[in-house]
Amino acid sequence: MGWEEKVRRVVPYIPGEQPKQKGIIKLNTNECPYPPSPLVKRKAAEFQTDELRLYPDPDASLLVKSLADYYGVKEDQIFVGVGSDDVLAMCFLTFFNSDRSVLFPDITYSFYDVWAELFQIPYRCPALDEDFRLKKEDYLSENGGIVIPNPNAPTGLYEELDTIEEIVASNPDSVVIIDEAYVDFGGRSALELVDKYENLLVVQTFSKSRAMAGIRIGFAAGSSKLIRYLKDVKFSFNSYTMNAPSIAWGAASILDDGYFKETVGKIINTRERVKKELSDLGFVFPDSSSNFIFASHKSIPASELFEALKQEGIYVRHFNKPRIDNYLRITIGTDEQMDELLTFLKRYI
């Protein structure tokens, strides 16, 4: 009793397992299997540790300018944070401030309901259809805001931009957030719509396609008014969220567009090859546009395969949740890593 009665109690988000042992094949948290750009490595080698005694630029101006130039928007249309999780949490806190329910799918990134519970935001989760597709009409009713990951996680399915635009256009009184953590692996970004719709915010991350999960960089792009509100909340919470190395190394990553596109291309090619081989082994899965495949075997339970793979030192992700408990989410690794996965599955099946 006593002080515990005043504690805010939530069920926390549980990230994918981060095993400590060496020599495993880690295909469970959708990290990039290739290193960051050589420009990032060079910038890291040049970084002066004396800079660490100083506070970083609270506006992260170098990174913001690099992003604005790359995506063809104004600097006051960019907001940066410590990974897209930080950016999304700020979005929930900033924009979802009514007694109406925020909408996001029932099968989706499992941090959304955690933030809603933490910030005491009412929410509702319209069910995806039997093919794990978004039902557009579910997002055309009164709401307190909308969050749609595109491509979705953990299914990997991409919704066409026309569908996204109709939802945004039909909700002028709500902020619509499109979470594009995986968009670089397939599909058109909604970034091309941010100048058209004041209520649209697009969130992306450096953790997947830019191979920088360990440095934690995320950003949002939207109207200058949305970004100004986000900054007001951020600076009321913590003025110095982006550290100096993140700002410098993130800007370097943006400059090396050739390496970025080459890396994404390799992952896509490996994904398409592995789709065919998994299908030949009796797996079924949605047609992924991400850097993972969400697969279910026709006769072997996902929980059994998950444990067998783990014993072999191959880590994938299993979600013990309704509708998806017989699926494994398999990150696309290098060709060599995927060959080891496939060799084991052929032998086991």
Side-chain angles (χ1 to χ4, degrees):
M1 305 297 285
W3 62 267
E4 287 188 88
E5 294 178 346
K6 305 178 184 69
V7 172
R8 187 185 298 274
R9 297 170 187 250
V10 293
V11 178
Y13 171 76
I14 300 174
E17 189 174 355
Q18 297 287 353
K20 302 295 190 294
Q21 65 266 41
K22 303 294 184 182
I24 66 160
I25 295 176
K26 190 170 183 294
L27 306 175
N28 67 329
T29 49
N30 297 343
E31 293 142 324
C32 182
Y34 302 105
S37 158
L39 285 183
V40 174
K41 184 176 181 180
R42 189 185 313 163
K43 185 62 67 172
E46 296 170 353
F47 190 81
Q48 300 297 313
T49 55
D50 186 58
E51 293 182 46
L52 298 179
R53 67 183 179 81
L54 304 173
Y55 284 112
D57 173 10
D59 293 315
S61 304
L62 176 63
L63 179 57
V64 166
K65 184 179 188 311
S66 298
L67 287 164
D69 289 347
Y70 185 80
Y71 289 107
V73 297
K74 298 175 184 175
E75 291 178 42
D76 64 3
Q77 291 181 275
I78 295 287
F79 174 90
V80 296
V82 186
S84 59
D85 287 343
D86 178 50
V87 174
L88 287 162
M90 287 294 107
C91 291
F92 271 65
L93 191 58
T94 304
F95 301 119
F96 301 154
N97 188 35
S98 75
D99 56 0
R100 296 174 182 172
S101 293
V102 171
L103 306 179
F104 47 85
D106 66 329
I107 300 171
T108 192
Y109 185 33
S110 52
F111 223 142
Y112 297 157
D113 59 344
V114 173
W115 288 317
E117 295 285 351
L118 176 63
F119 300 135
Q120 299 181 351
I121 299 166
Y123 65 96
R124 185 164 55 83
C125 301
L128 299 177
D129 69 19
E130 58 195 27
D131 296 318
F132 297 139
R133 284 287 181 189
L134 202 73
K135 291 187 283 188
K136 179 179 59 180
E137 58 273 15
D138 289 338
Y139 297 87
L140 305 182
S141 59
E142 188 175 73
N143 62 77
I146 293 172
V147 187
I148 296 173
N150 196 35
N152 193 14
T155 65
L157 285 171
Y158 169 78
E159 301 293 344
E160 293 297 332
L161 194 56
D162 288 348
T163 299
I164 298 300
E165 181 170 11
E166 185 174 347
I167 291 171
V168 175
S170 300
N171 287 278
D173 297 327
S174 297
V175 173
V176 180
I177 298 170
I178 307 301
D179 181 358
E180 293 187 341
Y182 303 101
V183 76
D184 293 325
F185 302 104
R188 288 166 60 194
S189 171
L191 277 165
E192 63 186 78
L193 302 176
V194 295
D195 285 332
K196 188 174 180 181
Y197 298 100
E198 189 179 63
N199 63 320
L200 170 63
L201 198 70
V202 179
V203 177
Q204 293 191 14
T205 179
F206 281 47
S207 296
K208 318 299 182 185
S209 55
R210 294 193 179 274
M212 297 181 73
I215 201 68
R216 312 305 299 127
I217 302 172
F219 70 94
S223 66
S224 57
K225 185 180 290 187
L226 285 179
I227 300 303
R228 186 168 67 251
Y229 283 130
L230 260 180
K231 287 183 175 179
D232 286 347
V233 171
K234 173 195 171 180
F235 287 124
S236 301
F237 186 80
N238 186 348
S239 296
Y240 300 107
T241 52
M242 290 293 293
N243 64 63
S246 294
I247 294 169
W249 303 348
S253 174
I254 290 291
L255 289 175
D256 198 349
D257 196 42
Y259 181 86
F260 163 68
K261 288 175 178 173
E262 178 187 351
T263 300
V264 169
K266 287 194 290 188
I267 292 169
I268 291 172
N269 288 338
T270 303
R271 180 190 71 202
E272 295 307 304
R273 173 178 71 88
V274 172
K275 282 181 184 178
K276 182 180 184 308
E277 299 206 39
L278 286 176
S279 181
D280 291 344
L281 286 171
F283 285 91
V284 293
F285 41 83
D287 189 19
S288 176
S289 295
S290 60
N291 68 335
F292 58 84
I293 298 171
F294 194 54
S296 177
H297 196 266
K298 294 177 181 177
S299 58
I300 304 176
S303 57
E304 178 185 331
L305 284 170
F306 173 76
E307 292 297 338
L309 285 162
K310 191 172 181 179
Q311 289 299 314
E312 190 71 11
I314 302 173
Y315 282 68
V316 297
R317 192 82 184 267
H318 178 238
F319 299 91
N320 190 19
K321 293 183 175 182
R323 296 185 68 191
I324 59 172
D325 58 352
N326 201 33
Y327 284 82
L328 298 175
R329 193 190 68 189
I330 305 168
T331 302
I332 301 301
T334 63
D335 281 317
E336 293 76 17
Q337 289 173 324
M338 302 313 289
D339 285 343
E340 288 198 43
L341 168 82
L342 292 164
T343 296
F344 171 77
L345 289 174
K346 288 172 186 175
R347 185 171 70 247
Y348 189 84
I349 291 170

Tab-separated table of all heavy atoms in Angstrom, residues 189-210:
chain	number	residue	atom	x	y	z
A	189	SER	N	7.139	6.003	-50.532
A	189	SER	CA	6.995	6.674	-49.244
A	189	SER	C	5.910	7.737	-49.305
A	189	SER	O	5.715	8.403	-50.329
A	189	SER	CB	8.325	7.319	-48.846
A	189	SER	OG	8.150	8.145	-47.715
A	190	ALA	N	5.237	7.919	-48.177
A	190	ALA	CA	4.245	8.991	-48.060
A	190	ALA	C	4.905	10.348	-47.882
A	190	ALA	O	4.210	11.368	-47.785
A	190	ALA	CB	3.296	8.708	-46.893
A	191	LEU	N	6.237	10.396	-47.872
A	191	LEU	CA	6.928	11.674	-47.773
A	191	LEU	C	6.530	12.623	-48.897
A	191	LEU	O	6.527	13.844	-48.719
A	191	LEU	CB	8.446	11.448	-47.802
A	191	LEU	CG	9.101	11.067	-46.475
A	191	LEU	CD1	10.499	10.513	-46.714
A	191	LEU	CD2	9.159	12.275	-45.549
A	192	GLU	N	6.187	12.074	-50.056
A	192	GLU	CA	5.808	12.938	-51.174
A	192	GLU	C	4.477	13.646	-50.947
A	192	GLU	O	4.106	14.538	-51.704
A	192	GLU	CB	5.757	12.136	-52.471
A	192	GLU	CG	4.723	11.041	-52.509
A	192	GLU	CD	4.837	10.189	-53.762
A	192	GLU	OE1	5.734	9.324	-53.839
A	192	GLU	OE2	4.016	10.398	-54.674
A	193	LEU	N	3.777	13.279	-49.868
A	193	LEU	CA	2.472	13.886	-49.577
A	193	LEU	C	2.507	14.926	-48.469
A	193	LEU	O	1.492	15.566	-48.183
A	193	LEU	CB	1.464	12.792	-49.191
A	193	LEU	CG	1.204	11.678	-50.204
A	193	LEU	CD1	0.269	10.638	-49.607
A	193	LEU	CD2	0.621	12.242	-51.497
A	194	VAL	N	3.662	15.117	-47.814
A	194	VAL	CA	3.660	15.960	-46.612
A	194	VAL	C	3.377	17.425	-46.915
A	194	VAL	O	2.853	18.155	-46.057
A	194	VAL	CB	4.980	15.818	-45.819
A	194	VAL	CG1	5.132	14.423	-45.272
A	194	VAL	CG2	6.186	16.236	-46.641
A	195	ASP	N	3.696	17.894	-48.116
A	195	ASP	CA	3.389	19.285	-48.458
A	195	ASP	C	1.917	19.460	-48.840
A	195	ASP	O	1.419	20.586	-48.896
A	195	ASP	CB	4.278	19.756	-49.613
A	195	ASP	CG	5.704	20.038	-49.168
A	195	ASP	OD1	5.894	20.382	-47.987
A	195	ASP	OD2	6.625	19.896	-49.989
A	196	LYS	N	1.253	18.370	-49.096
A	196	LYS	CA	-0.151	18.423	-49.528
A	196	LYS	C	-1.113	18.359	-48.342
A	196	LYS	O	-2.223	18.917	-48.412
A	196	LYS	CB	-0.416	17.259	-50.490
A	196	LYS	CG	-1.764	17.282	-51.174
A	196	LYS	CD	-1.853	16.161	-52.209
A	196	LYS	CE	-3.196	16.150	-52.917
A	196	LYS	NZ	-3.295	15.047	-53.912
A	197	TYR	N	-0.703	17.686	-47.248
A	197	TYR	CA	-1.612	17.471	-46.116
A	197	TYR	C	-0.945	17.915	-44.816
A	197	TYR	O	0.058	17.349	-44.387
A	197	TYR	CB	-1.999	15.990	-46.019
A	197	TYR	CG	-2.739	15.488	-47.235
A	197	TYR	CD1	-2.073	14.766	-48.227
A	197	TYR	CD2	-4.095	15.754	-47.411
A	197	TYR	CE1	-2.742	14.307	-49.348
A	197	TYR	CE2	-4.776	15.317	-48.531
A	197	TYR	CZ	-4.094	14.587	-49.504
A	197	TYR	OH	-4.767	14.148	-50.623
A	198	GLU	N	-1.539	18.924	-44.195
A	198	GLU	CA	-0.979	19.471	-42.960
A	198	GLU	C	-1.055	18.487	-41.791
A	198	GLU	O	-0.293	18.587	-40.828
A	198	GLU	CB	-1.720	20.763	-42.585
A	198	GLU	CG	-1.097	21.538	-41.450
A	198	GLU	CD	-1.855	22.818	-41.141
A	198	GLU	OE1	-3.040	22.718	-40.740
A	198	GLU	OE2	-1.265	23.904	-41.294
A	199	ASN	N	-1.957	17.509	-41.879
A	199	ASN	CA	-2.174	16.565	-40.780
A	199	ASN	C	-1.375	15.275	-40.918
A	199	ASN	O	-1.548	14.353	-40.124
A	199	ASN	CB	-3.666	16.210	-40.681
A	199	ASN	CG	-4.187	15.505	-41.927
A	199	ASN	OD1	-3.830	15.858	-43.040
A	199	ASN	ND2	-5.038	14.506	-41.739
A	200	LEU	N	-0.482	15.192	-41.905
A	200	LEU	CA	0.287	13.962	-42.159
A	200	LEU	C	1.685	14.066	-41.569
A	200	LEU	O	2.405	15.045	-41.818
A	200	LEU	CB	0.388	13.711	-43.663
A	200	LEU	CG	1.361	12.607	-44.104
A	200	LEU	CD1	0.932	11.236	-43.577
A	200	LEU	CD2	1.489	12.586	-45.627
A	201	LEU	N	2.083	13.037	-40.831
A	201	LEU	CA	3.439	12.942	-40.308
A	201	LEU	C	4.021	11.585	-40.702
A	201	LEU	O	3.401	10.540	-40.460
A	201	LEU	CB	3.434	13.087	-38.783
A	201	LEU	CG	4.779	13.445	-38.141
A	201	LEU	CD1	5.162	14.885	-38.481
A	201	LEU	CD2	4.725	13.278	-36.636
A	202	VAL	N	5.199	11.595	-41.319
A	202	VAL	CA	5.864	10.372	-41.769
A	202	VAL	C	7.097	10.141	-40.904
A	202	VAL	O	7.924	11.046	-40.738
A	202	VAL	CB	6.267	10.473	-43.255
A	202	VAL	CG1	6.971	9.194	-43.702
A	202	VAL	CG2	5.035	10.738	-44.119
A	203	VAL	N	7.215	8.935	-40.349
A	203	VAL	CA	8.318	8.609	-39.446
A	203	VAL	C	9.186	7.516	-40.063
A	203	VAL	O	8.661	6.514	-40.566
A	203	VAL	CB	7.780	8.147	-38.072
A	203	VAL	CG1	8.932	7.746	-37.151
A	203	VAL	CG2	6.938	9.245	-37.432
A	204	GLN	N	10.500	7.717	-40.046
A	204	GLN	CA	11.443	6.714	-40.549
A	204	GLN	C	12.591	6.540	-39.562
A	204	GLN	O	12.703	7.275	-38.578
A	204	GLN	CB	11.973	7.105	-41.940
A	204	GLN	CG	10.923	7.069	-43.037
A	204	GLN	CD	11.523	7.201	-44.430
A	204	GLN	OE1	12.724	7.062	-44.638
A	204	GLN	NE2	10.663	7.465	-45.410
A	205	THR	N	13.439	5.557	-39.826
A	205	THR	CA	14.517	5.202	-38.920
A	205	THR	C	15.802	4.893	-39.685
A	205	THR	O	15.762	4.518	-40.854
A	205	THR	CB	14.125	3.980	-38.069
A	205	THR	OG1	15.206	3.624	-37.205
A	205	THR	CG2	13.797	2.774	-38.942
A	206	PHE	N	16.939	5.043	-39.005
A	206	PHE	CA	18.240	4.641	-39.551
A	206	PHE	C	18.597	3.213	-39.130
A	206	PHE	O	19.654	2.708	-39.495
A	206	PHE	CB	19.332	5.579	-39.036
A	206	PHE	CG	19.419	6.906	-39.738
A	206	PHE	CD1	18.285	7.668	-39.984
A	206	PHE	CD2	20.635	7.408	-40.143
A	206	PHE	CE1	18.362	8.899	-40.612
A	206	PHE	CE2	20.737	8.634	-40.772
A	206	PHE	CZ	19.597	9.384	-41.016
A	207	SER	N	17.723	2.552	-38.376
A	207	SER	CA	18.068	1.265	-37.768
A	207	SER	C	18.043	0.099	-38.748
A	207	SER	O	18.684	-0.919	-38.492
A	207	SER	CB	17.116	0.966	-36.612
A	207	SER	OG	17.262	1.908	-35.587
A	208	LYS	N	17.293	0.209	-39.826
A	208	LYS	CA	17.127	-0.914	-40.749
A	208	LYS	C	17.978	-0.718	-42.007
A	208	LYS	O	19.061	-1.261	-42.126
A	208	LYS	CB	15.651	-1.083	-41.126
A	208	LYS	CG	14.662	-0.920	-39.979
A	208	LYS	CD	14.853	-1.929	-38.871
A	208	LYS	CE	13.783	-1.729	-37.796
A	208	LYS	NZ	13.989	-2.596	-36.630
A	209	SER	N	17.497	0.074	-42.927
A	209	SER	CA	18.167	0.204	-44.223
A	209	SER	C	19.493	0.942	-44.137
A	209	SER	O	20.353	0.774	-45.006
A	209	SER	CB	17.240	0.911	-45.219
A	209	SER	OG	16.798	2.151	-44.701
A	210	ARG	N	19.703	1.759	-43.125
A	210	ARG	CA	20.963	2.493	-42.999
A	210	ARG	C	21.934	1.844	-42.016
A	210	ARG	O	22.986	2.398	-41.710
A	210	ARG	CB	20.707	3.960	-42.638
A	210	ARG	CG	19.998	4.696	-43.758
A	210	ARG	CD	19.991	6.189	-43.594
A	210	ARG	NE	19.303	6.813	-44.718
A	210	ARG	CZ	19.879	7.137	-45.871
A	210	ARG	NH1	21.166	6.895	-46.043
A	210	ARG	NH2	19.186	7.690	-46.848
